[in-house]
Amino acid sequence: MIDNITMLKKSLSEDEKTNIINSSRLVSNSLNGLTYYDNRSTKNFTGGLFIQIDTRNKLKISGSVQKYHSHLESGRLTNFETFTMDQAKGTFKKLIVNTGVNPNDIEVTFFEVGINLKFDIDVKTVLDKVHSIGKTEKPFFIEPKFKDGRQITTGTHRDFRVHFKMYDKIFEMKDSRKPVANFKHHILRIETVHRRVEKLQLNQLIDSEYLQVIQNDFFTQWNGLNFYNDIEAPKGTQRSKIDLVRNIVHNGKNIVFMDYKSQYENKALTKRQFYAVRDFLKSWELLRSDFTIKKSAIVPFWDLAYSIEKQLIMN
């Protein structure tokens, strides 16, 4: 479940520094006459984790714990398989031995928790139907760095310590020019991203009780994924009108009106477009019967894939 992680120690003693350089086989480099050490040129052959001791003796370790596990097991850097918290804990223990770090004296500042869901359908059809997560309905947005709307996230502003992410795993691998096997299924990756983590040592993170808390929180949050309803409209209804109805159903007339009014005032909508929306909202109670609102047909596909992987993780 735990995947990408960043760990820091601000100042190493000379003994710690020597131990890590030797255990991790770091290479000496020079910057403006000052010496630093890293494994940039060899990391993909030793598990994929980037390890650096900078010119001020600051230690940084970052990368994918799941890929590190995969490398130790098979020699490959992959993270599309099932990866449990027990496997993560075992991997951290091996990482500690292999790198020479002290788990009681290195701080975790960032980590991701995620799972891979297998579908028989294109996961883009799932992503297109996702609305929000949680009782507060934190909305998802398309991540523009990905093509074809194949990654969505909740707000990623630096003020948010936690955000949620969903993406087409196979598309991501192809887009990153990574080797892609002949998969039997489409894979949807879901992640909870913890940023700006404070006062968390590695030994605390890998405590079994703490890992269980992280796992429980993950599933509690993702149990609350919300989907847009399916809308059956009269023949010939424009897609924009159906999207407007869906917006009304999820957010209510008042919020929708204020949103479109703001767009109009900011010149994102023409006067004609805004008035058309305004008039539709005024007539909504009369027009509502023209539209049939149903639970999204994608939900059973999600429920099945999610429950299967959840069962594998929790057993």
Side-chain angles (χ1 to χ4, degrees), residues 11 85 100 161 228 263 300 314:
S11 181
M85 284 301 194
R161 291 181 180 271
Y228 284 109
Q263 291 184 53
M314 299 185 73

Side-chain angles (χ1 to χ4, degrees), residues 17 72 80 115 121 133 153 157 196 207 227 236 286:
K17 178 179 175 180
L72 295 178
F80 52 77
I115 60 175
I121 59 173
I133 190 167
T153 66
H157 189 274
R196 293 167 54 208
D207 177 78
F227 291 86
L286 295 174

Side-chain angles (χ1 to χ4, degrees), residues 45-227:
F45 304 102
T46 58
L49 293 173
F50 177 63
I51 305 172
Q52 182 184 68
I53 300 174
D54 71 12
T55 58
R56 296 170 296 174
N57 283 351
K58 179 180 179 180
L59 171 66
K60 178 179 181 180
I61 301 177
S62 61
S64 168
V65 178
Q66 187 170 353
K67 288 182 180 179
Y68 187 72
H69 167 81
S70 175
H71 174 82
L72 295 178
E73 294 295 314
S74 66
R76 298 177 299 155
L77 296 174
T78 60
N79 66 342
F80 52 77
E81 310 92 345
T82 296
F83 187 55
T84 68
M85 284 301 194
D86 284 343
Q87 289 174 310
K89 181 170 184 174
T91 303
F92 275 116
K93 288 182 176 180
K94 293 176 182 177
L95 183 153
I96 290 165
V97 172
N98 294 342
T99 60
V101 301
N102 180 355
N104 301 307
D105 199 22
I106 186 167
E107 186 176 356
V108 177
T109 61
F110 170 97
F111 67 94
E112 295 174 345
V113 186
I115 60 175
N116 300 305
L117 309 181
K118 299 176 179 63
F119 289 83
D120 291 326
I121 59 173
D122 186 347
V123 298
K124 177 69 162 58
T125 61
V126 181
L127 294 171
D128 286 345
K129 288 293 185 178
V130 173
H131 173 259
S132 59
I133 190 167
K135 292 182 179 179
T136 59
E137 297 193 352
K138 184 178 291 186
F140 278 89
F141 305 97
I142 292 175
E143 171 54 64
K145 293 180 182 178
F146 259 55
K147 297 177 183 177
D148 197 28
R150 289 185 178 267
Q151 176 170 307
I152 58 175
T153 66
T154 58
T156 58
H157 189 274
R158 62 180 179 271
D159 287 346
F160 301 139
R161 291 181 180 271
V162 176
H163 70 267
F164 304 93
K165 181 164 61 174
M166 305 176 71
Y167 60 92
D168 182 335
K169 180 61 183 173
I170 297 177
F171 180 87
E172 179 265 341
M173 293 171 68
K174 291 179 178 178
D175 197 52
S176 302
R177 298 181 181 179
K178 299 172 185 175
V180 178
N182 293 320
F183 293 101
K184 295 180 180 179
H185 302 279
H186 301 271
I187 300 176
L188 176 63
R189 176 84 178 170
I190 64 173
E191 295 176 345
T192 302
V193 181
H194 298 261
R195 301 185 302 182
R196 293 167 54 208
V197 180
E198 296 180 350
K199 299 180 180 179
L200 178 64
Q201 302 297 322
L202 178 56
N203 67 319
Q204 295 173 299
L205 174 67
I206 63 176
D207 177 78
S208 295
E209 290 186 5
Y210 194 87
L211 289 174
Q212 188 64 51
V213 169
I214 293 173
Q215 177 176 293
N216 291 344
D217 284 348
F218 177 87
F219 285 118
T220 297
Q221 292 162 338
W222 285 98
N223 287 347
L225 191 66
N226 305 307
F227 291 86

